[in-house]
Amino acid sequence: MTKQSMAEPDRTTRRQFLATAGGAALGAVSLVHVGPARATPDTMKAAIRDIVNGAAVRPGKVKLDVPPLVENGNTVPLTVTVTSPMSDADHVVSIHIFNEKNPQPNVGNFYISPRAGRAQISTRIRLADTQTLTAIAKLSDGSFWSATADVVVTLAACTEEAT
């Protein structure tokens, strides 16, 4: 090595790096073919079974607030509220949200404690199509409670573009 080459660092540009990284990623992706994940009512039921582990799920105590009609499925607001005193002896342990047509059936899992003060979560989700959402709450006594809501989506999200 010459004295000059040791003193000058390699000047790779961001564009060169991204082109190289993108090319490597495309090469790796082309080696593995993965089909699109698509939830169905059956996969949603299986995901719910995994969470409740065979326990009975009863309707009630859970309120699922979501607009019944949304123009754009890219950002759908939803709030889940569970009736609970949120005391050390009686509180909500977790809230789970499921859907039947998005790429994954389990939209979210939220774990809370009595220190939360109230059993409520609010978030925004993407919906691939018109579908039914289910919210399930696990209480400290081991019981599971649920609510469902149907949502009509006029412009779907979570979809692959046709090529």
Side-chain angles (χ1 to χ4, degrees), residues 86-99:
M86 294 304 285
S87 66
D88 286 336
D90 185 7
H91 62 274
V92 175
V93 174
S94 59
I95 298 172
H96 308 274
I97 303 169
F98 301 92
N99 68 87

Side-chain angles (χ1 to χ4, degrees), residues 84-161:
S84 172
M86 294 304 285
S87 66
D88 286 336
D90 185 7
H91 62 274
V92 175
V93 174
S94 59
I95 298 172
H96 308 274
I97 303 169
F98 301 92
N99 68 87
E100 61 184 7
K101 293 185 182 176
N102 278 9
Q104 297 295 323
N106 192 334
V107 176
N109 301 307
F110 304 88
Y111 298 90
I112 54 181
S113 75
R115 293 175 56 186
R118 64 180 175 185
Q120 178 177 321
I121 58 105
S122 293
T123 189
R124 292 184 181 272
I125 63 172
R126 295 178 76 177
L127 293 178
D129 200 358
T130 296
Q131 58 188 295
T132 299
L133 299 177
T134 301
I136 295 180
K138 178 180 181 182
L139 275 55
S140 57
D141 65 0
S143 64
F144 290 91
W145 298 84
S146 72
T148 60
D150 293 323
V151 181
V152 176
V153 178
T154 57
L155 177 62
C158 301
T159 57
E160 293 182 30
E161 293 183 24

Side-chain angles (χ1 to χ4, degrees), residues 28-110:
V29 171
S30 65
L31 297 176
V32 178
H33 174 70
V34 178
R38 187 63 57 190
T40 64
D42 290 335
T43 59
M44 182 178 83
K45 288 176 187 174
I48 291 172
R49 276 194 305 271
D50 289 345
I51 294 293
V52 302
N53 201 19
V57 179
R58 296 178 275 187
K61 293 192 180 189
V62 178
K63 181 179 177 189
L64 176 57
D65 287 323
V66 61
L69 174 68
V70 294
E71 288 185 26
N72 187 340
N74 284 312
T75 178
V76 179
L78 96 95
T79 300
V80 179
T81 307
V82 184
T83 303
S84 172
M86 294 304 285
S87 66
D88 286 336
D90 185 7
H91 62 274
V92 175
V93 174
S94 59
I95 298 172
H96 308 274
I97 303 169
F98 301 92
N99 68 87
E100 61 184 7
K101 293 185 182 176
N102 278 9
Q104 297 295 323
N106 192 334
V107 176
N109 301 307
F110 304 88

